[in-house]
Amino acid sequence: MGQGSGLTCELLAHGASAGVEHVSFEFLIRTHPSVSIAAMGVTPAMRTGGAARRAAEFTMVVALLLGRVAASLNIHSVNDAVSVDKVVQWSDIKVSQASSNGGHLVVPQGETWYLDESMEVETLTVWGQLKWNTSKKGLELRTGYLLVEKGGYFQLGTVGQPMTNQATVYITRKDASTYSHHEVGYRFLAALGDGSRIDIHGRELKRTWSLLSKDAHIGDTELFVKHDPKGMNWRVGDRIGLVTTSQGVSTEHHIKSIGPASSWQLPINRAESGVDVSRQEAADKAIDKKAHTYWGSWCTLWWCKGQEQWIEVFLAEPSNITKVSINWDGSRYAPKFIVEGRLENKWIKLADGNISWGGWHEIVADKCGSGCTVSSVRIKADYESMKTRGTEAAWAGLRIWEIEVYGRELGKPIPDVISLEEPVQHFHNGGFKEILGQRFEIAAEVVNLERSVLITGDSETFEETKQGIHTALMGKGVVDMRYARLENCGQRDKMGRYCMHFHQAERCPDCRYQGNAIVNSAQAAITLHGSHQTLVDSNIIWKSFGAGIYTEDGNEMNNMISANVVVCPTGPLTCSESWLGKPHAQAGIYMIGMTNDLIDNRVAGFENGIWTAGSHAPRGQGLALGKVCPMHTPFGAIRGNVCHDNFRFGLYLDNQYPRQLERDSNGMLTKPGSCDEFKPDGADNGVLPANVVEDEFDYHNMFVGQYSMGDIAFLRYRSLNNAHSMYWKASKNFADGVSHHMKDCVFANDPEDSFGILQLLGPSGPFVFMFTNNSFVGSPVGAAALNAGQHCGKPGAGGPCNVQYYLENINWQGLPPNSKRIRFGINGEDEAEVLPIFLSKDDSLGGARAMVSRYMKGFEKVEGCQKMDSVWDEGIACKKPVRRLNIWTSDIGSVNVSGPGFVSKEEMNKGPPVHGGDAGLLFFENNLGTTSKGYGTMALVGSEYTVSGAWTGDVVFDFSDKLLEGLFGQPENITLKFNGQVCKASASDPRSFMTANGPGAWAGKLQMPCKVVGSQDKWGGGSGIVPSPSPAPTPPPGRLVGECFFPNRPGLPFYWEPTCWFGKIGCLGDGINVECRFCGKGDFASIPCPATTATTTAASITATTTTAAATTTAATTTAATTTAATTTAA
């Protein structure tokens, strides 16, 4: 029978021996205080009537109990099979049980124990049920481990009756050889096996975090927060964390009180002074909140008599003043001054000022008693004291950098604030910042670290060993843990030993970690491993080494990861330590499993914020190894996340190209070929519709973005004061044909903020970068606001470099007038400065329809083209459409293109960066020897070009992109001449087996009309399709020479195999090059590794691999540091 029916039988048993209803209901009330007798249909009359009536009515109640008791007791289906035959109180059995079995306590199946007193045992195993009496204060359970076995149940509070009193689970540290479990390990709280369940429900917090609504300054003891502290259910004595907004440290504090604010900074409308030196030093400069401006009153005695040394600031509303803060200049200050206020033309003395140096000084309004209500405040210097200041002569006047006035506005509601025991130690931003009409909520998180339920343990050696406690669900049970605090948890470099861990739970919609505080985690504080449909919500992770939240193997799906705040509080890189052999896996949220929702999370202080690191495990990990392809796994919803003050990347999407995967309910591939770049018919296999990153806000990070990424769009992304507003090297056209790479985005930089610079570093490669409805705001501007072709020509970047940037409705008005808006090439090889093309059909390019590099000087001779100024990087703007032209073939030496836009050989610029490109001299793009990508240049739509070269092997000509025909509303084609033959290349040519990386198949299989198949000079005629011979011959080898692309070294040997094809075992090992093949180990043990040398390159790694020995020497380069290491493949 289920738990409810078992309890009913127990009630009947009591009724058979004594006072049927009375005894049974009293028993029920005592043992299950959360049960509502009235809710089960028991009336007072039933409990007070005659014996016969009571007996009859009790029989009816039993029937009701069968259907209602489970709901009343908050019993879940996973435990319905548990039959409870015996219910006892711990206080009744502790003497006999504590000494049995050497203190290794077992709650037997069929028994329910109620913890009504503290318990201390060696170990505790639960086969039956162990429930905490939530009415008891301060209970503590001390044990070497707490294991809930198959069918067992541990309950510390429920949803309906959470543990509002303080309760502690304390995991002791004892001899590991005796106090370990063969599956779960050492020092744990865990549920193991089918039907096992743990419910932990502490006192609910309506919110676990808020944001500062006003700036917090050094020395402040009151915090203004966005949400009502009492409404969030925060309490006096709670430990809270105040998160950095300056790439510094985040600090812990205690709540002293919650109540009305004593004062706050008052808004000031304007300022006047007795004398202004100039407009640059006018009075309003002292209230503009800018660090580099000031009011100055330099005034010789020929002009002034000294009485003019004052400044008055006018408040937005009449207010009761409590203090005035003044930032005096170090040499032009007034040793003595008075602070006075005016109300209806009556002056009231507020305070006297006496100082002996410049800088910030806080002047308390202590001279006005209760009558400090004024509409303006004046600071009036004692001119005689200025003569004795010992810095500059009195006639040099005053210099005040900033004035702030504090108090309460009359008639305004007084907000509740959090008063602190310990003052604020650093400046923290709060509220909204406006930059030229754009508002940004750059505000420090305030997080609550206190919970009524504490899970902790012996921790004297934790900082040294990083070996703490851990909790887990192992298998198909349920763990529902809410509003608990775990501290000093996780066990460094031990697989599966995390603070909170859903392990191979598969589909578990009842599993949740919600509202918890994890403080000091040795590795990956919350880990989702082979588990789906769980909830990880509103948790605070305060100092977790390596990673904060981790999706482990790559098959994790449909988990909701929402509203969590993940903080490394001790400063940049202090949480970046190797874990589980992962020296370069440092992020607040670190994902190998991608199809999970990330909504409204916030990450601060880590090396990287949110990192989707599919390239770290391109074939998955653990039980998912070889059954997933994380680089091509679609994302879930990504919306509303904030990453700030991280050392490297904020949002870091790495090298992700989501595709149309075919998977089972456990996230494993049912069709491995669905990871391929193309479908069998050659169609682009990119995910439909494209994944979207929505409403991302990143500030104070070194980078935001990714190295290489496709079929993922940014919508309403906002960047503020990052060192790189966006960092992106390679991409592609969207498979859905309609998405935009970046749309409705804002890229901003506040010049008053010392961190950051305004510059978007965009990708390269032969595709259309869709950039629409975006705005640039602020300064300083870096190389340019929008830079095309980041790292083009270098390993890991796109190529050839003739990317087409399509701009629509771009707002440049927030930039300084003469700042550079666009740039051709950035941090790339020479061709990056020559080949990019900007396109627009509105005024985003100043009215031009196309703009090419100043080095393509032949376009200046084209009708309707002219050279622009430095704002446009001196590009050549054309009214006629200019599009990319690519020639996909092997390296056949130089190729020459002649026609409109190209100069003659006599006019050719042979020097860098042009190298003859202006005359149509093309060189093979191989990204410095790491790839084979063909040739690239540009051409005028509707024109005729002659192409010459030493043709051999497959040759495919690729002009423009189909989506541009739709955007500009007209056909796009050019005529190509080759060996006396003529071919028309069009933007609408079929693109089967074609991407920004070039052809993915033998030329004979392509439907492009302009091509050479093999070594034959044969062009497609008629429909432009070269029919395949029948029967189809064996495809010739792939690229004979090339190298694998691994951003991070894999643990398997590999080599370059020209005979690879899509779907052949081991091929497409790097997820990019089909010829890159795994060999010699694991699933690929049947594939012999040749004794040759394979070379691997990546955006961040250059490695030489001797596959026979499976030994790799790697030199790893990041934007900030360069390190070298020699390792052996595992």
Side-chain angles (χ1 to χ4, degrees), residues 54-78:
R54 291 200 304 270
E57 290 175 330
F58 179 70
T59 302
M60 180 179 65
V61 171
V62 169
L64 292 172
L65 282 170
L66 288 171
R68 299 185 182 180
V69 72
S72 299
L73 294 177
N74 194 35
I75 294 169
H76 300 263
S77 59
V78 73

Side-chain angles (χ1 to χ4, degrees), residues 115 117-120 124 130 132-133 136-143 146 154 156 163-172 189 200 202 239 450-458 469 483-487:
L115 193 70
E117 291 185 4
S118 293
M119 173 188 289
E120 182 169 4
L124 180 58
L130 178 63
W132 206 289
N133 188 325
K136 301 289 186 178
K137 297 181 179 179
L139 295 187
E140 182 175 87
L141 191 164
R142 296 177 69 93
T143 178
L146 195 167
F154 173 67
L156 203 174
M163 185 61 186
T164 58
N165 297 309
Q166 192 65 40
T168 302
V169 177
Y170 193 98
I171 310 298
T172 56
L189 165 62
I200 296 177
R239 287 168 286 188
E450 200 71 41
R451 302 293 184 270
S452 61
V453 174
L454 172 64
I455 303 173
T456 186
D458 297 324
I469 64 174
Y483 306 105
R485 173 180 166 117
L486 275 73
E487 58 187 24

Side-chain angles (χ1 to χ4, degrees), residues 697-920:
F697 177 38
D698 283 38
Y699 65 91
H700 289 174
N701 306 289
M702 180 68 71
F703 305 100
V704 183
Q706 53 281 319
Y707 289 133
S708 180
M709 186 185 78
D711 292 304
I712 301 170
F714 286 94
L715 181 64
R716 299 183 301 275
Y717 162 66
R718 295 165 73 80
S719 168
L720 177 65
N721 285 87
N722 296 292
H724 302 79
S725 307
M726 174 58 61
Y727 188 90
W728 201 339
K729 294 186 180 184
S731 191
K732 62 184 284 290
N733 290 328
F734 285 93
D736 65 15
V738 296
S739 293
H740 297 236
H741 293 86
M742 307 203 79
K743 184 177 181 180
D744 300 333
C745 302
V746 177
F747 308 93
N749 207 83
D750 180 5
E752 299 302 315
D753 191 328
S754 61
F755 190 93
I757 192 168
L758 186 56
Q759 55 179 3
L760 186 158
L761 276 55
S764 194
F767 72 99
V768 180
F769 184 66
M770 298 291 291
F771 194 75
T772 56
N773 299 342
N774 302 315
S775 300
F776 292 90
V777 176
S779 64
V781 176
L786 178 60
N787 301 267
Q790 160 70 351
H791 271 198
C792 192
K794 294 183 179 293
C801 296
N802 55 342
V803 62
Q804 301 169 119
Y805 274 50
Y806 174 78
L807 311 187
E808 183 176 331
N809 194 28
I810 305 305
N811 185 352
W812 311 98
Q813 300 308 308
L815 299 176
N818 296 321
S819 61
K820 186 175 289 189
R821 297 180 178 182
I822 66 170
R823 174 170 166 162
F824 295 85
I826 183 76
N827 301 324
E829 294 299 301
D830 285 349
E831 57 267 32
E833 300 182 47
V834 180
L835 295 179
I837 308 166
F838 289 90
L839 309 174
S840 179
K841 64 179 182 180
D842 58 17
D843 290 333
S844 297
L845 288 174
R849 294 296 168 260
M851 196 171 293
V852 302
S853 167
R854 65 184 181 276
Y855 296 112
M856 296 299 291
K857 58 187 179 183
F859 282 88
E860 290 187 62
K861 301 177 182 179
V862 174
E863 182 181 358
C865 297
Q866 63 176 348
K867 190 173 183 179
M868 305 297 287
D869 60 18
S870 61
V871 169
W872 303 105
D873 200 22
E874 301 180 22
I876 300 169
C878 295
K879 297 293 184 181
K880 295 183 177 181
V882 183
R883 302 291 185 262
R884 68 173 180 88
L885 172 62
N886 289 92
I887 305 170
W888 302 107
T889 184
S890 59
D891 189 349
I892 57 174
S894 62
V895 171
N896 189 259
V897 179
S898 60
F902 296 104
V903 300
S904 66
K905 292 183 179 179
E906 292 73 23
E907 299 174 283
M908 176 192 302
N909 181 352
K910 297 180 180 179
V914 188
H915 304 292
D918 56 347

Side-chain angles (χ1 to χ4, degrees), residues 82-357:
V82 177
S83 178
V84 180
D85 301 316
K86 181 180 179 181
V87 178
V88 297
Q89 302 291 325
W90 171 244
S91 60
D92 295 334
I93 63 171
K94 67 176 182 179
V95 175
S96 61
Q97 290 289 338
S99 59
S100 65
N101 198 26
H104 296 278
L105 207 60
V106 176
V107 180
Q109 187 174 1
E111 294 190 14
T112 295
W113 293 9
Y114 282 88
L115 193 70
D116 60 340
E117 291 185 4
S118 293
M119 173 188 289
E120 182 169 4
V121 294
E122 298 298 301
T123 64
L124 180 58
T125 302
V126 180
W127 291 92
Q129 300 188 46
L130 178 63
K131 298 184 178 181
W132 206 289
N133 188 325
T134 57
S135 67
K136 301 289 186 178
K137 297 181 179 179
L139 295 187
E140 182 175 87
L141 191 164
R142 296 177 69 93
T143 178
Y145 64 71
L146 195 167
L147 176 63
V148 180
E149 284 280 10
K150 182 177 180 179
Y153 183 40
F154 173 67
Q155 180 192 91
L156 203 174
T158 65
V159 173
Q161 188 168 358
M163 185 61 186
T164 58
N165 297 309
Q166 192 65 40
T168 302
V169 177
Y170 193 98
I171 310 298
T172 56
R173 184 177 66 250
K174 298 185 178 181
D175 178 40
S177 62
T178 304
Y179 292 82
S180 293
H181 186 274
H182 66 284
E183 289 187 64
V184 192
Y186 177 57
R187 301 187 68 206
F188 59 83
L189 165 62
L192 175 63
D194 295 355
S196 60
R197 183 178 185 112
I198 294 175
D199 276 315
I200 296 177
H201 297 270
R203 179 175 64 87
E204 181 184 4
L205 302 180
K206 299 302 182 182
R207 288 189 62 92
T208 58
W209 58 273
S210 187
L211 301 172
L212 286 182
S213 59
K214 297 180 181 292
D215 293 344
H217 299 268
I218 296 173
D220 283 355
T221 57
E222 291 184 345
L223 299 182
F224 291 80
V225 291
K226 185 175 182 178
H227 306 92
D228 176 24
K230 294 178 180 177
M232 294 190 292
N233 207 17
W234 294 18
R235 293 182 175 179
V236 172
D238 284 357
R239 287 168 286 188
I240 63 172
L242 182 56
V243 180
T244 182
T245 56
S246 58
Q247 286 214 332
V249 299
S250 303
T251 51
E252 290 188 48
H253 306 263
H254 290 82
I255 297 180
K256 182 178 181 180
S257 64
I258 298 175
S262 61
S263 65
W264 55 87
Q265 188 174 348
L266 301 171
I268 299 173
N269 282 344
R270 61 188 179 90
E272 295 179 357
S273 62
V275 61
D276 293 338
V277 174
S278 65
R279 180 61 210 150
Q280 288 71 35
E281 300 182 39
D284 59 4
K285 302 298 182 182
I287 59 170
D288 62 4
K289 298 184 178 181
K290 295 182 179 180
H292 63 281
T293 61
Y294 58 86
W295 164 65
S297 66
W298 183 89
C299 187
T300 69
L301 292 180
W302 284 274
W303 300 340
C304 304
K305 303 300 180 182
Q307 296 88 345
E308 299 84 358
Q309 302 296 319
W310 56 266
I311 182 171
E312 183 176 3
V313 297
F314 294 82
L315 305 177
E317 300 284 346
S319 304
N320 189 274
I321 307 302
T322 58
K323 65 180 180 180
V324 178
S325 291
I326 310 166
N327 188 7
W328 293 96
D329 184 70
S331 61
R332 298 185 184 182
Y333 64 92
K336 294 183 179 182
F337 56 93
I338 62 170
V339 179
E340 52 190 3
R342 177 160 53 179
L343 183 65
E344 297 178 351
N345 293 321
K346 178 182 178 182
W347 288 103
I348 303 168
K349 187 174 183 180
L350 303 178
D352 289 317
N354 291 276
I355 61 175
S356 55
W357 63 87

